[in-house]
Amino acid sequence: MSTIVNNPALRKAKKDGIKLEKEFVKFCQTKGIGSITYTKWKKSGAEEAGSLDRQDNLLIKDFPYESIYDGSICITEFVLILGKRRIRIEFKSQNIPGSKDECIPYIFENAETQFPENELIIFRPGTGWRKGIKPYITRRIKKVKKENANIDIKVFYDYDELKEYINDTL
């Protein structure tokens, strides 16, 4: 079910976010990474099939998780499976000042306590973020690493840097 967005700025932001996600899917496909929605992946039985050893490189869209709020199921844009690795990917774009930057602390808390993956990529393009968000992100990454050295969080502010990282990861 689609939600109608009446505010033109919010409608544009939603369209821009969807466009970036589609571009990322196409980019991954050019690298030999298949793509599928979580629902189709789940129905295929791949998740229950056992170890990740048998799964190829795959980008799964709209991947659910139980959030820090008990019983609340939320959706991450992607989980990227590369052989035995699972990398959760959050796209958070903000081109005008708004509330999207308030999501960032929740992403970190979910990464620490809820995400089953040990790797997280936050893609954070746009110019509408609060001034203190980059230093906050740097502090939170250091705090997470200090408390749990197994969690690897990468933040990209530029789409080309994200693509370069994916290229290097393959």
Side-chain angles (χ1 to χ4, degrees):
M1 182 163 131
S2 177
T3 304
I4 297 174
V5 179
N6 291 324
N7 181 318
L10 293 177
R11 190 169 41 247
K12 181 180 179 336
K14 184 172 179 72
K15 283 183 182 179
D16 289 348
I18 290 169
K19 181 182 173 192
L20 274 173
E21 290 175 23
K22 286 181 179 180
E23 283 179 27
F24 186 69
V25 169
K26 286 179 184 176
F27 165 76
C28 287
Q29 289 172 339
T30 67
K31 301 299 172 187
I33 300 170
S35 65
I36 191 169
T37 63
Y38 175 81
T39 305
K40 288 181 182 177
W41 182 71
K42 181 86 170 160
K43 284 181 184 177
S44 76
E47 186 176 30
E48 286 79 23
S51 75
L52 291 174
D53 295 348
R54 292 176 275 172
Q55 296 192 17
D56 293 325
N57 296 346
L58 189 61
L59 183 69
I60 304 171
K61 185 167 175 30
D62 301 329
F63 208 97
Y65 65 94
E66 184 174 351
S67 83
I68 55 175
Y69 304 115
D70 293 340
S72 177
I73 302 301
C74 298
I75 303 289
T76 294
E77 285 78 14
F78 303 104
V79 167
L80 178 60
I81 297 175
L82 298 174
K84 295 181 182 182
R85 295 171 62 193
R86 281 192 187 198
I87 306 168
R88 189 164 292 263
I89 304 173
E90 287 274 357
F91 276 48
K92 297 297 175 217
S93 177
Q94 184 162 307
N95 289 317
I96 58 170
S99 61
K100 191 58 77 176
D101 46 11
E102 293 298 324
C103 296
I104 300 296
Y106 294 108
I107 292 172
F108 280 101
E109 191 163 343
N110 280 307
E112 291 176 280
T113 63
Q114 300 301 114
F115 295 162
E117 300 80 16
N118 288 331
E119 295 180 72
L120 170 65
I121 291 174
I122 301 171
F123 176 49
R124 202 207 62 113
T127 58
W129 298 90
R130 291 188 176 120
K131 287 182 182 181
I133 194 73
K134 280 187 179 182
Y136 170 79
I137 288 172
T138 301
R139 284 192 314 272
R140 277 306 298 263
I141 289 173
K142 286 179 183 175
K143 181 178 183 257
V144 169
K145 281 296 223 185
K146 185 178 180 181
E147 293 174 6
N148 187 340
N150 294 327
I151 297 177
D152 185 19
I153 301 174
K154 304 262 188 268
V155 179
F156 298 95
Y157 302 96
D158 177 79
Y159 185 57
D160 289 334
E161 290 174 0
L162 172 62
K163 292 191 308 186
E164 184 178 323
Y165 177 78
I166 298 298
N167 272 329
D168 293 345
T169 302
L170 296 173

